[in-house]
Amino acid sequence: MDKILEFFLLHREAIFIVILSVFLGIEVISHVPAILHTPLMSGANAIHGVVIIGAIIVMGHAEGTAALILGFLAVVLGTLNVVGGFVVTDRMLEMFKKKK
């Protein structure tokens, strides 16, 4: 428990920035018009593809079991995010096709 507290005290500025980024992201996304959601999702899927590549590279350099497990978890969750994003984007694009 002391190591966790020490980590938070040592990196409090970075943690503060991450928390502010989360609130800013929620605020920005909640004000995006519905017409822009499909292009934004496609862009987010491309960015998450790069994140998966980075997670694979970092996992390859892991020096402990915990780091390897966290890296594998990052790759799996990132992949689920990309696949889910493409599924949602495809469903949204289906809404704009003309019905026969």
Side-chain angles (χ1 to χ4, degrees):
M1 185 68 178
D2 291 335
K3 288 186 179 186
I4 295 173
L5 184 61
E6 181 182 334
F7 176 81
F8 281 119
L9 289 175
L10 212 88
H11 298 93
R12 64 179 168 252
E13 292 89 8
I15 294 169
F16 182 70
I17 290 171
V18 169
I19 291 171
L20 283 178
S21 298
V22 167
F23 286 125
L24 179 66
I26 290 170
E27 191 65 27
V28 167
I29 294 298
S30 66
H31 288 89
V32 172
I35 193 86
L36 291 178
H37 278 283
T38 303
L40 285 176
M41 295 248 338
S42 297
N45 289 335
I47 291 170
H48 283 106
V50 173
V51 170
I52 291 171
I53 302 280
I56 291 171
I57 291 170
V58 170
M59 192 175 71
H61 296 291
E63 293 187 6
T65 306
L68 193 61
I69 290 171
L70 283 175
F72 180 75
L73 188 64
V75 171
V76 169
L77 292 175
T79 303
L80 286 173
N81 195 12
V82 169
V83 171
F86 278 120
V87 168
V88 170
T89 302
D90 188 50
R91 289 177 106 185
M92 290 174 75
L93 290 174
E94 287 288 325
M95 293 182 345
F96 293 107
K97 288 186 178 177
K98 292 184 181 180
K99 296 181 180 164
K100 294 181 180 181

